[in-house]
Amino acid sequence: MKMIRDDMRGMRDEGMTYRAIAEEMRKRNDRISSATVRRILLNKGDNFRKPYAPRSVPIEMHPRVKKIVDDLYEEESTRTTTEIIETIKEKLGLEVKKEVVAIIRQELGLRQYRVRYGHAVRLINQLIRLVYCEKMLEKGEQFLTHTFTDESYIQVGKNSQTCFVKNRFQARKAAPKHAAKLLIWGGISVRGPCPLKVLRGKEVNVDSPKYQQILHEKYLQWSRDTFGPIGTLVQDWAPCHGSRSTRLYLKRSGI
């Protein structure tokens, strides 16, 4: 805590504003507001937790407890505090409070964020992608004329994770079993995005003729205007992308 305060005082002496100091601290993974910076520098208190109290865990055991917590979160970042406490009790025979686990998390620099899920990549494909990336680095490829394209479903509506009500029963909201969705085709390049194509209703079932129509309407002329004759289309190997008729269309169109 003293080191953080000294760093902020040094920044303040250099003429930095409270907001600039807060932004600099966030770059160091210290989530802090400009108001908190002001309170700390003016000695009006802060929002940091109290220092670790050795009465909760024997001081000589603290490094071992800290190592266990670090290893557990490194192995699985979504572990609950209860799971952490049970594991510490099983390994060391110590009854650790939730507050101690929270303090150790702060000492380790762990922050709480909402989990975001992405597409899983199979192990065999991870190796293929790694080899491809290494080859591109060796060639010095910067993808200056490439447009990366794909389709993606977008759900229409709002799925809030939190709400503010006076009664917990008011937190229940009616939701459709199958939310309305749109299929959007688009592409991105170093010179910006290409025009989007929004598909609705039966159009969301994209076959080869439909895909070729999308390329003709949204990509072909844009690519010529943006890159001239050297534009490169990047796509995955979906059936409508790699069919024989689509490959013939790409050849005819000079893509």
Side-chain angles (χ1 to χ4, degrees):
M1 177 60 194
K2 185 178 184 299
M3 186 179 300
I4 295 175
R5 185 184 290 110
D6 292 342
D7 288 346
M8 289 192 292
R9 284 175 177 168
M11 296 178 198
R12 187 62 175 170
D13 292 340
E14 293 175 1
M16 295 177 64
T17 63
Y18 295 132
R19 179 173 296 180
I21 294 174
E23 292 176 354
E24 180 63 29
M25 298 305 294
R26 281 194 287 269
K27 293 178 182 178
R28 306 182 185 182
N29 293 325
D30 288 312
R31 301 179 66 183
I32 188 171
S33 66
S34 56
T36 303
V37 172
R38 183 176 183 274
R39 283 197 298 271
I40 293 174
L41 295 179
L42 295 179
N43 293 322
K44 293 184 178 180
D46 53 62
N47 288 335
F48 288 90
R49 295 180 181 273
K50 295 179 180 179
Y52 168 74
R55 292 178 299 174
S56 303
V57 176
I59 190 64
E60 66 275 5
M61 296 293 291
H62 183 62
R64 295 181 62 186
V65 174
K66 187 175 180 179
K67 179 67 166 55
I68 291 175
V69 174
D70 191 18
D71 291 343
L72 290 174
Y73 280 118
E74 182 69 25
E75 179 184 345
E76 176 52 63
S77 61
T78 60
R79 292 184 186 275
T80 64
T81 303
T82 301
E83 292 174 345
I84 300 292
I85 292 174
E86 291 176 352
T87 303
I88 293 173
K89 183 178 180 180
E90 179 182 345
K91 292 186 175 183
L92 301 179
L94 292 175
E95 292 280 356
V96 178
K97 297 181 180 180
K98 292 183 178 180
E99 293 78 6
V100 175
V101 177
I103 293 172
I104 293 175
R105 278 198 298 259
Q106 186 180 39
E107 291 178 355
L108 293 171
L110 299 175
R111 308 291 183 182
Q112 185 178 20
Y113 297 98
R114 181 177 297 178
V115 177
R116 295 186 177 183
Y117 293 95
H119 294 292
V121 180
R122 291 186 300 169
L123 184 60
I124 186 172
N125 289 334
Q126 291 180 16
L127 180 59
I128 292 173
R129 293 187 182 192
L130 176 61
V131 172
Y132 175 80
C133 291
E134 290 176 343
K135 287 183 178 179
M136 294 300 103
L137 288 173
E138 291 177 1
K139 290 173 58 179
E141 177 63 71
Q142 299 184 37
F143 301 101
L144 299 178
T145 62
H146 295 65
T147 304
F148 296 83
T149 65
D150 204 359
E151 303 90 2
S152 180
Y153 280 102
I154 305 297
Q155 179 173 316
V156 180
K158 181 180 180 182
N159 280 342
S160 297
Q161 296 273 334
T162 59
C163 62
F164 297 90
V165 294
K166 294 182 179 180
N167 188 304
R168 62 179 298 180
F169 295 102
Q170 296 175 340
R172 297 177 180 176
K173 305 290 182 181
K177 186 174 182 180
H178 301 289
K181 294 182 179 181
L182 300 174
L183 182 65
I184 298 181
W185 177 93
I188 189 68
S189 72
V190 294
R191 298 193 182 182
C194 68
L196 296 176
K197 176 65 175 180
V198 181
L199 304 169
R200 302 177 178 85
K202 295 182 179 180
E203 288 184 327
V204 298
N205 298 318
V206 180
D207 54 12
S208 296
K210 185 64 182 178
Y211 180 64
Q212 296 162 28
Q213 180 185 349
I214 294 173
L215 293 179
H216 188 75
E217 293 178 358
K218 299 297 182 179
Y219 172 79
L220 188 58
Q221 190 59 48
W222 173 86
S223 179
R224 291 172 179 171
D225 294 340
T226 306
F227 300 108
I230 60 174
T232 303
L233 173 70
V234 183
Q235 59 179 17
D236 58 25
W237 209 240
C240 62
H241 297 175
S243 66
R244 183 172 180 273
S245 64
T246 298
R247 294 200 302 270
L248 291 174
Y249 166 79
L250 296 176
K251 187 176 182 180
R252 288 195 311 269
S253 304
I255 300 176

